[in-house]
Amino acid sequence: MPKGYLIAHVSISDATAYAAYAKAAGDAMKNFSPKLIASSGRYENLEGESHGRHVVFEFDSFAEAKRFYESPEYQTAKALRAGAATGTYVILEGTS
């Protein structure tokens, strides 16, 4: 079964509020055990809107990544992000 990937490209406007979101989101992830693939390392924006933070998580499947994103725990965490950051969040199915 192909893996599922949650990819986030984020611009943070309030670091303190975003830190609260990040902690709550991390707590929400504990039940899903994703693998952190990449997080805010060196990058080069080649095209499109630029963001300062980039994160990729690998889940067991697309459905599992979506189940995490739609979970009540993550939705509570997501509410903390409002006003603290903007970005693009994508779930992508792997090829194998």
Side-chain angles (χ1 to χ4, degrees), residues 68-89:
F68 158 72
Y69 186 82
E70 294 175 345
S71 71
E73 296 84 5
Y74 181 70
Q75 291 302 306
T76 298
K78 182 180 159 192
L80 298 173
R81 193 179 73 221
T86 58
T88 302
Y89 295 77

Side-chain angles (χ1 to χ4, degrees), residues 44-66:
E44 184 176 338
N45 195 72
L46 300 174
E47 292 187 38
E49 186 177 349
S50 179
H51 295 283
R53 182 171 174 82
H54 308 275
V55 183
V56 180
F57 289 99
E58 180 183 81
F59 289 80
D60 287 340
S61 67
F62 182 91
E64 190 71 356
K66 190 168 181 179

Side-chain angles (χ1 to χ4, degrees), residues 25-48:
D27 290 344
M29 283 187 172
K30 288 180 182 175
N31 293 330
F32 296 87
S33 302
K35 179 180 177 183
L36 180 61
I37 300 296
S39 177
S40 294
R42 185 174 128 184
Y43 75 94
E44 184 176 338
N45 195 72
L46 300 174
E47 292 187 38

